[in-house]
Amino acid sequence: PRQALVDDTEDVSLDFGSEEELALRKARFRHPLATFFHLFFRVSAIVTYLFCDWFSNSFVACFVTILLLLSFDFWSVKNVTGRLLVGLRWWNQIDEDGKSHWVFEAKRVPTIAASTEAEARIFWLGLIICPVIWTLFFFSTLFSLKLKWLALVIAGISLQTANLYGYIHCKLGGQKTLSRAASRLFATADVPKSKYRAV
């Protein structure tokens, strides 16, 4: 006679992807490419400004190269690295009436691929130090009477400061939103008892 087959299987739940999540948590840099380009264009513009006379005698070539590096930096910081490294972004929106509205956003929910402290520190240091360096270039250009470079230095200050202003506004705006929500919560929880009457 045939023996009945005994089912010795058991339900096992496998946690797929836990290795990847653990590796992401241990990683010092979760967005190494974004971190690299956050600093690359900024530092390249400053180094090119300092040593451009050594490599080229053409003022126009130096001016255009530095301006392109500053533009690439502005675009990458505003559109990519701010979102990836610190979860912030800002932009300008024009409504149907033609009015300009500035929008500042901060990510509220942390994700698995959120940035690390090292990435956030690199982001903010690069964002703060570079406008200071361009401001020093402004005064050195002004006092050394190299006025042909003044327009470029002002462009550098403007682009760097615009990103700094936008991200500071995002950071403070996110904190204000959280404090407003907390104050509303406490305001509704702390309602005076005189409003309630016994029926």
Side-chain angles (χ1 to χ4, degrees):
R2 287 186 165 181
Q3 289 182 336
L5 293 175
V6 179
D7 189 13
D8 287 339
T9 61
E10 62 182 71
D11 291 334
V12 177
S13 65
L14 297 175
D15 193 9
F16 290 107
S18 62
E19 299 90 10
E20 295 169 2
E21 184 177 333
L22 185 63
L24 277 174
R25 285 185 184 159
K26 288 182 179 180
R28 186 165 172 87
F29 294 103
R30 292 184 185 160
H31 306 99
L33 199 60
T35 306
F36 171 75
F37 280 109
H38 177 70
L39 295 176
F40 175 74
F41 291 124
R42 294 176 167 259
V43 173
S44 296
I46 291 170
V47 169
T48 305
Y49 177 78
L50 289 173
F51 301 112
C52 193
D53 290 337
W54 290 7
F55 300 114
S56 175
N57 291 331
S58 172
F59 169 74
V60 173
C62 292
F63 189 93
V64 169
T65 303
I66 296 168
L67 196 59
L68 281 174
L69 288 169
L70 286 170
S71 301
F72 291 153
D73 170 62
F74 179 81
W75 183 88
S76 66
V77 170
K78 181 183 172 300
N79 295 317
V80 180
T81 62
R83 183 176 46 84
L84 291 176
L85 300 182
V86 290
L88 303 172
R89 66 181 180 169
W90 63 275
W91 71 90
N92 187 318
Q93 177 178 337
I94 299 175
D95 62 7
E96 292 142 3
D97 299 334
K99 292 183 182 178
S100 177
H101 299 282
W102 290 93
V103 181
F104 302 95
E105 287 186 344
K107 188 184 293 185
R108 292 194 180 112
V109 181
T111 59
I112 294 173
S115 64
T116 62
E117 280 186 38
E119 289 175 335
R121 192 172 296 125
I122 287 171
F123 178 83
W124 287 109
L125 283 174
L127 205 65
I128 293 169
I129 290 174
C130 289
V132 172
I133 292 172
W134 282 103
T135 304
L136 292 175
F137 288 163
F138 173 78
F139 288 114
S140 70
T141 303
L142 198 62
F143 292 135
S144 65
L145 297 176
K146 295 182 179 178
L147 299 179
K148 65 181 183 179
W149 292 99
L150 200 58
L152 181 68
V153 172
I154 291 172
I157 292 171
S158 301
L159 292 171
Q160 301 277 328
T161 307
N163 264 333
L164 178 62
Y165 173 78
Y167 283 113
I168 287 176
H169 209 299
C170 287
K171 185 79 171 164
L172 295 178
Q175 290 175 354
K176 286 179 186 175
T177 305
L178 289 176
S179 66
R180 253 186 259 133
S183 66
R184 282 187 207 141
L185 177 69
F186 290 126
T188 57
D190 209 14
V191 177
K193 293 181 181 177
S194 61
K195 288 189 174 182
Y196 294 99
R197 291 185 301 182
V199 179

